[in-house]
Amino acid sequence: MSLNKNLFQQPPNKLLAALPDSDYQHLFPYLKLVPLQVQQILYEAAEPITQVYFPDNAVVSIVTTMEDGSTAEVGIVSNEGMVGIPVILGDNTTTT
């Protein structure tokens, strides 16, 4: 039986929910729920990205470290997007 996102609950991540059923069915076997902790680091700058994240009920803050060691938030991702965009662009590391 092929998986159909409508047989279950609509994915809470809007990016996944917007995919055509055939594309979502192709991705579905690779998706898993991952509990995240507050202030958990998903990636370090210049280290390989081994997973991408499609938040469903989380907000992921993208920060960069300044020369003086302070950090600045440069973006946020919630249930409308994906964390790990460099992978789609053909890279496996991030600068932030």
Side-chain angles (χ1 to χ4, degrees):
M1 179 175 118
S2 64
L3 295 172
N4 183 326
K5 67 181 174 185
N6 295 323
L7 290 176
F8 306 106
Q9 180 179 352
Q10 180 89 3
N13 179 279
K14 293 178 183 179
L15 185 60
L16 291 177
L19 290 174
D21 283 340
S22 60
D23 291 341
Y24 183 77
Q25 290 173 16
H26 180 75
L27 278 178
F28 187 79
Y30 303 100
L31 299 175
K32 67 179 181 177
L33 289 174
V34 178
L36 300 176
Q37 302 297 318
V38 173
Q39 296 186 345
Q40 178 177 339
I41 297 172
L42 302 180
Y43 311 122
E44 291 281 354
E47 290 190 3
I49 296 172
T50 58
Q51 300 180 75
V52 297
Y53 297 85
F54 298 91
D56 60 2
N57 63 355
V59 175
V60 178
S61 179
I62 301 170
V63 299
T64 190
T65 303
M66 312 300 261
E67 287 184 17
D68 66 1
S70 64
T71 58
E73 185 175 56
V74 294
I76 57 170
V77 179
S78 184
N79 71 335
E80 83 293 343
M82 169 189 149
V83 180
I85 293 291
V87 171
I88 291 176
L89 301 174
D91 200 355
N92 73 336
T93 60
T94 182
T95 58
T96 55

